[in-house]
Amino acid sequence: MACAASSVKGLLRVGGAKAFDQNYVRDYFKSSVSYPVADISSPIRVQHVANGSGLVVRDSKSRDLSVKLASTNGSLKVSEERVTVLVIGGGGREHALCYALERSPSCDAVFCAPGNSGIAQSGDATCIPDLDISNSDSVISFCRNWGVGLVVVGPEAPLLAGLANELVKAGIPTFGPSSEAAALEGSKDFMKKLCDKYHIPTAKYQTFTDPSSAKQYVKEQGAPIVVKADGLAAGKGVVVAMTLDQAFEAIDSMLVEGSLGSAGSRVIIEEYLEGEEVSFFALVDGETALPLESAQDHKRVGDGDVGPNTGGMGAYSPAPIVTEKLKCEVMESIILPTVKGMAAEGCKFVGLLYAGLMIEKKSGLPKLIEYNVRFGDPECQVLMMRLESDLAQVLLAACRGELGSVSLTWSPELAAVVVMASEGYPGAYKKGTVIKNIDEAEQVSPAVKIFHAGTALDRDGNFVAASGRVLGVTAKGKDIEEARAKAYDALDVVDWPEGFFRHDIGWRAQKYRRMVAH
């Protein structure tokens, strides 16, 4: 079975994109809502009639619209199709998507709502901070006013709230699953039951709402064991308990104390799997799954993979452990049964399937740990650094059910990202600390790109920390050593005393290279 693009029965099509012609800016760009944006210099200037302000839209790159673009190894032809894209979200993942879309030959303009100060200052997108992304009517109105032909939803929360449902219903091509399909991430119990029904390999488990029953099960199974909150918990809903007491404490925290709110009102207790974790990504159009390049992240906060889990402290791509043989195994045993199962359940999946996998130490076979229904963060940063295809057209193909005709082109170089986080993360951390020399750090090498995950501007125009994970310092190189060296050289230039980062990002890839060399 070929692993380039794999299909199951079923088809999902969404209407085509509207082109945004920079020479056809007209009076219909009127709105009753104010959309303030960063003042990015551009020859395109649209008078925003509602409040009389000048809305500055990022310059469309000079292109010959009559030229056909061969953006994915010649398999996806684009002829005079122009598209304006709206990216939903405001973190490092969304910055990376904006960066890749801004480089897409067929993309005329990129908006990001709400975005963040770093995204706006970078010129990778025009940020729309006042657009209420929780209000689908506002998003639809913006798309219609500005000729948006593709919406890319970054975070999971708007997907679970049904934003993609409403946009698709309005005829706006949207890359992201429906709220029903997003349950793959929104409920671990839903995911586990799907695995049971469609024979997808995963850890043995049981689901509980009663703490006493959960503790009794833990006693029967023994430690180590894993306790997971059923719902979304911002990366804090998984406890790998090495002792029974740690498991009991996690159960009490979620089910008795309600530390995670409704997300922890139901818990999944599952067997501890020993092996190596890896991230696997596939674009899905309802019937076809197209695997992306591999990546591997670092979840623990401290060097040597110690301390609590985080949203991710760094990543690299490709991951040497993901061989072509393993990729085919994952597609055949995990990804395709999921796509087929979701279609059979009446909620076809269109979007990005992000499978967190454990490659078991004993068998060498993959088991599904969890699904996310969007690009991973920080894995997205290294993937977008390496992607050479026209991302806008690839995502449109997914929306239209046409991934079967797509192949992807990747840089042969390796990419690594090191996350700079606020001191104290993933626990309590201070906001508003000043970060200097970001621009200077990005000039260390042409192979360096700094993605903003959580920055804002203070009154003096300085970048300040606005979240736990703040910057993703990313670099490409001919191998892991070179990519790491460039990223850490850039990190040395950033002046942020209240920030911290891991010093060993990519150690598994280095270990694998040494092992192969010997």
Side-chain angles (χ1 to χ4, degrees), residues 20-101:
F20 178 87
D21 186 338
Q22 63 180 4
N23 299 314
Y24 199 57
V25 177
R26 305 185 305 182
D27 289 341
Y28 69 75
F29 288 130
K30 293 182 180 180
S31 173
S32 60
V33 183
S34 172
Y35 299 113
V37 297
D39 188 15
I40 303 169
S41 177
S42 167
I44 304 176
R45 187 171 293 273
V46 181
Q47 184 68 24
H48 196 257
V49 182
N51 58 11
S53 65
L55 176 58
V56 180
V57 182
R58 179 190 56 77
D59 180 21
S60 293
K61 298 174 282 294
S62 298
R63 306 179 180 108
D64 180 355
L65 300 187
S66 66
V67 177
K68 288 186 177 181
L69 303 174
S71 61
T72 53
N73 284 338
S75 65
L76 181 63
K77 299 291 185 183
V78 184
S79 179
E80 299 187 14
E81 182 174 20
R82 323 303 305 148
V83 63
T84 292
V85 184
L86 170 63
V87 176
I88 300 293
R93 166 184 50 230
E94 288 75 36
H95 191 179
L97 290 169
C98 290
Y99 167 75
L101 288 163

Side-chain angles (χ1 to χ4, degrees), residues 136-419:
S136 58
D137 289 339
S138 295
V139 177
I140 291 168
S141 177
F142 180 87
C143 290
R144 287 176 174 163
N145 285 342
W146 289 94
V148 171
L150 172 65
V151 176
V152 181
V153 185
E156 61 278 14
L159 293 169
L160 284 160
L163 179 59
N165 302 54
E166 298 302 316
L167 288 167
V168 170
K169 192 185 300 181
I172 300 168
T174 302
F175 184 77
S178 66
S179 57
E180 296 81 5
L184 274 176
E185 177 172 0
S187 171
K188 293 180 177 63
D189 183 60
F190 174 88
M191 185 216 80
K192 286 288 195 176
K193 286 177 178 174
L194 189 85
C195 290
D196 285 346
K197 188 171 183 178
Y198 294 97
H199 311 294
I200 299 164
T202 188
K204 184 177 69 173
Y205 79 101
Q206 281 195 27
T207 302
F208 299 92
T209 56
D210 174 60
S212 298
S213 300
K215 290 178 181 179
Q216 182 58 39
Y217 181 75
V218 167
K219 288 179 183 178
E220 294 169 0
Q221 300 301 314
I225 200 163
V226 181
V227 181
K228 294 182 176 181
D230 176 54
L232 298 177
K236 300 176 183 178
V238 178
V239 176
V240 180
M242 303 310 292
T243 66
L244 293 180
D245 285 342
Q246 288 177 348
F248 296 158
E249 184 180 340
I251 291 167
D252 284 338
S253 175
M254 295 179 198
L255 291 181
V256 179
E257 299 164 17
S259 61
L260 299 177
S262 60
S265 61
R266 180 165 52 184
V267 299
I268 286 80
I269 312 291
E270 67 177 30
E271 70 172 315
Y272 172 80
L273 298 176
E274 189 175 1
E276 191 164 338
E277 287 190 46
V278 70
S279 304
F280 192 94
F281 302 89
L283 301 174
V284 181
D285 68 3
E287 70 158 12
T288 300
L290 179 66
L292 303 185
E293 278 286 81
S294 62
Q296 195 165 28
D297 73 341
H298 299 256
K299 290 292 187 191
R300 301 280 186 169
V301 72
D303 289 1
D305 290 329
V306 299
N309 277 330
T310 70
M313 294 300 296
Y316 54 91
S317 172
I321 191 173
V322 183
T323 62
E324 285 302 311
K325 181 180 179 182
L326 182 60
K327 183 183 289 188
C328 285
E329 175 68 29
V330 172
M331 290 295 293
E332 292 177 5
S333 67
I334 295 175
I335 301 298
L336 281 178
T338 300
V339 176
K340 183 176 181 180
M342 292 296 285
E345 295 299 315
C347 47
K348 283 185 178 179
F349 189 95
V350 177
L352 193 286
L353 263 184
Y354 163 14
L357 306 175
M358 179 68 76
I359 312 304
E360 283 201 289
K361 187 174 182 179
K362 290 183 179 179
S363 67
L365 296 175
K367 281 190 175 181
L368 179 65
I369 300 173
E370 64 178 1
Y371 267 130
N372 291 333
V373 297
R374 32 69 184 186
F375 283 95
D377 184 351
E379 296 97 330
C380 186
Q381 286 85 313
V382 289
L383 290 173
M384 293 304 103
M385 281 286 281
R386 296 187 59 222
L387 182 68
E388 295 182 346
S389 299
D390 186 321
L391 180 63
Q393 292 303 314
V394 171
L395 300 186
L396 275 173
C399 294
R400 295 169 177 166
E402 297 172 354
L403 278 180
S405 64
V406 175
S407 61
L408 299 173
T409 303
W410 300 91
S411 166
E413 290 187 296
L414 188 143
V417 57
V418 183
V419 170

